[in-house]
Amino acid sequence: MVELLSPAGDLERLKFAFMYGADAVYIGGQNYSLRANAKNFSIDDIKEGVTFAHSLNKKVYVTVNIVFHEDDLEGIKEYLLKLDEIGVDAIIVSDIAIMKLHQDLGLKLELHISTQSSVLNHEAVKFYQSLGAKRIVLAREASRDDIKTIKDETGADLECFVHGAMCTSTSGRCVLSNYATLRDSNRGGCVQVCRFIFDINSSDKPFSITPKDLNMVVNVPEMINIGVNSFKVEGRMRSIYYIATVIKTYREIIDKTLNNSLTDAYIKYYQAILNRCANRDSAPQFFNRKPTKDEQYYLGRQEESNQDFLGLILDYNKETKEVTIEERNFFTEGTVVEFFGPNLDTQEFTLGTIYDENNNEVDAARHPRGIYKFKCDIELTPNSMMRLKNIDIRDFL
C-alpha cells in the first residue's frame, strides 16, 4: 500500500485532511513536539482525532520528536502510556531515550524514526530497526540513489517528504534559532532564522539563506517504483485550504500513477495548482542532484499570498439548488470559479446573483467569514471549497 500522510495542526485540519484523501495524519501534542507555535492537540483532542480516524479505517501518528534535555523527560512515561491506551497508531521520535522507553514500556503503538534523526544510509536504518523501529522517515536530503539503496539493503518501511518547507541545514542539526534568539529549534522553538533578510552593511544587497520549498510531483511515480511506502506533506501550521488543495492533488497523482493514467499534461496541471497554493517557489531539491543556486533564495524574494480561496461550502439545498457559503476572499456576480471537494471532481462555474444570509441581494461578497448564498446546478456537499478559476487542464493537453 502507498500511504499519503498529511499534517494536522488541530482537529479541524485533521478532519479536512481525511476528507480530502489522506490515509494518515501526523499531529503534535502540547508537549514534546517540534511545532510549539502550532495550536496542537490536548489528550482529549488526540482521543477524538484517533476515534474519528479509526472510524474511517485511517491512522494517526503523534510526534514526540524533540531532543530531550533532562527536564523534558518529566511526565514522558505517563504520556506515552496514555497515547498507547488511546490507540494512537505510532509515535514519531528522534531521541534514543524515547526509543528505549518504547521497548521498556512494551507499547503496542508503532515506533517511527523522525526526519530529525537525519537518516541517510542503510546502516543507520538497520540500527534503528534493532531498536524496534517499524518505519524510518528519511532526511529531506536523501537522493534517489540513497532511497533505493536503503530500500534494497533493509526492506524497511520508508516515509519521505514530498511537499512543503525545507531546512537550510541538514534536518535536525540546526542551531541558528538557538544562537540568534535563544529559542531551540530542536525543542520546538524554531524562529526560521534562515528566512530572515540580512543586511550586513548599506553597501551590500540584502540577502537570505532560504531554500525554496520541496515539490516532488514529477517524481512520485519513480518514488513508488523505488518502494517508498509513505508520502509525507509538511505543514502542521498551514490552512485548511492549503491542506485540502495539496492533499487532494497528491491523492490524484498517486491514484493515477497506480492505475497508469498519469500523463504529462496532468503533471503540468498539478504543478500549476500547487504553485498557486503556496507563496514560495518549489523544486525537487535533493532527489535528482544536490541543490544549486536555482533551488535557493539568496538576494531576497517575494512571497505574495494570492486570494484564490473564495469560500467554504456550508450547505446545498438539492430542491432549490441554493448554495450557502462562508466567504474567505472577495467575489462578485460574474466571477468565474471552480468547486472542488471530497468525492467531487473539480468543476467550473460562473457566479450569478449573490444574496447575504438574510436573503438580501448584494453586489459582492466582501466580508470574510460572512455567510452568502447563490444558485448553482452543480450538486455540492458541505466542506467543499470554491476558488478562483485560474488554471485549466485543457491548457496543458
Side-chain angles (χ1 to χ4, degrees), residues 128-145:
Y128 288 121
Q129 286 178 318
S130 74
L131 296 180
K134 170 66 176 176
R135 173 182 290 180
I136 309 296
V137 187
L138 294 181
R140 290 173 175 84
E141 295 78 23
S143 69
R144 171 198 291 106
D145 291 341

Side-chain angles (χ1 to χ4, degrees), residues 22-59:
D23 300 301
V25 299
Y26 63 101
I27 66 176
Q30 294 176 337
N31 297 298
Y32 318 118
S33 168
L34 280 174
R35 289 295 181 268
N37 293 327
K39 184 176 179 181
N40 291 321
F41 287 69
S42 67
I43 287 294
D44 287 342
D45 289 338
I46 295 173
K47 185 174 182 179
E48 182 178 341
V50 168
T51 299
F52 180 79
H54 289 178
S55 72
L56 302 173
N57 197 31
K58 299 190 177 188
K59 297 180 179 182

Side-chain angles (χ1 to χ4, degrees), residues 163 213-215 217 242 245-246 249 267-283 304 306 308 391:
H163 204 86
D213 280 3
L214 178 67
N215 182 325
V217 165
Y242 178 90
T245 304
V246 174
T249 300
I267 289 174
K268 292 175 183 177
Y269 169 71
Y270 291 136
Q271 284 278 31
I273 291 291
L274 293 174
N275 286 341
R276 284 202 63 84
C277 181
N279 58 3
R280 286 193 295 268
D281 292 338
S282 59
E304 298 179 359
N306 65 52
D308 286 358
I391 302 163

Side-chain angles (χ1 to χ4, degrees), residues 152-165:
D152 291 344
E153 292 290 334
T154 68
D157 188 316
L158 299 180
E159 179 178 306
C160 293
F161 280 93
V162 290
H163 204 86

Side-chain angles (χ1 to χ4, degrees), residues 57-233:
N57 197 31
K58 299 190 177 188
K59 297 180 179 182
V60 174
Y61 309 143
V62 176
T63 57
V64 190
N65 58 345
I66 65 169
V67 174
F68 281 75
H69 293 228
E70 281 296 327
D71 53 351
D72 294 319
L73 291 170
E74 183 178 352
I76 186 61
K77 290 183 181 179
E78 294 77 12
Y79 181 66
L80 294 177
L81 288 168
K82 190 64 178 179
L83 295 181
D84 203 45
E85 176 189 331
I86 288 171
V88 167
D89 296 281
I91 51 174
I92 305 172
V93 311
S94 65
D95 198 308
I96 293 176
I98 309 306
M99 302 174 205
K100 184 67 164 56
L101 274 177
H102 180 270
Q103 289 184 331
D104 293 346
L105 296 173
L107 301 179
K108 299 183 295 295
L109 51 75
E110 291 182 357
L111 181 68
H112 294 182
I113 305 304
S114 172
T115 191
Q116 297 302 118
S117 294
S118 306
V119 178
L120 287 165
N121 65 80
H122 73 275
E123 292 293 350
V125 171
K126 289 180 179 179
F127 169 73
Y128 288 121
Q129 286 178 318
S130 74
L131 296 180
K134 170 66 176 176
R135 173 182 290 180
I136 309 296
V137 187
L138 294 181
R140 290 173 175 84
E141 295 78 23
S143 69
R144 171 198 291 106
D145 291 341
D146 291 333
I147 299 169
K148 186 177 187 308
T149 299
I150 290 169
K151 188 69 177 184
D152 291 344
E153 292 290 334
T154 68
D157 188 316
L158 299 180
E159 179 178 306
C160 293
F161 280 93
V162 290
H163 204 86
M166 291 288 293
C167 181
T168 197
S169 178
T170 299
S171 299
R173 311 290 176 177
C174 186
V175 295
L176 279 176
S177 180
N178 207 336
Y179 178 80
T181 68
L182 299 182
R183 289 179 55 179
D184 192 342
S185 58
N186 292 305
R187 297 171 84 185
C190 183
V191 296
Q192 297 188 324
V193 175
C194 57
R195 303 200 186 281
F196 291 4
I197 303 298
F198 297 97
D199 188 3
I200 302 302
N201 60 64
S202 59
S203 63
D204 292 330
K205 292 182 178 180
F207 69 94
S208 70
I209 52 173
T210 308
K212 295 180 180 179
D213 280 3
L214 178 67
N215 182 325
M216 296 288 282
V217 165
V218 299
N219 302 113
V220 167
E222 186 172 6
M223 293 176 75
I224 290 175
N225 289 334
I226 289 173
V228 173
N229 301 93
S230 181
F231 290 75
K232 186 172 194 171
V233 173

Side-chain angles (χ1 to χ4, degrees), residues 321-339:
K321 298 184 178 180
E322 183 178 74
V323 178
T324 303
I325 190 170
E326 182 181 77
E327 184 208 355
R328 289 297 197 274
N329 284 292
F330 178 88
F331 59 87
T332 186
E333 180 178 349
T335 300
V336 180
V337 304
E338 58 185 16
F339 299 105

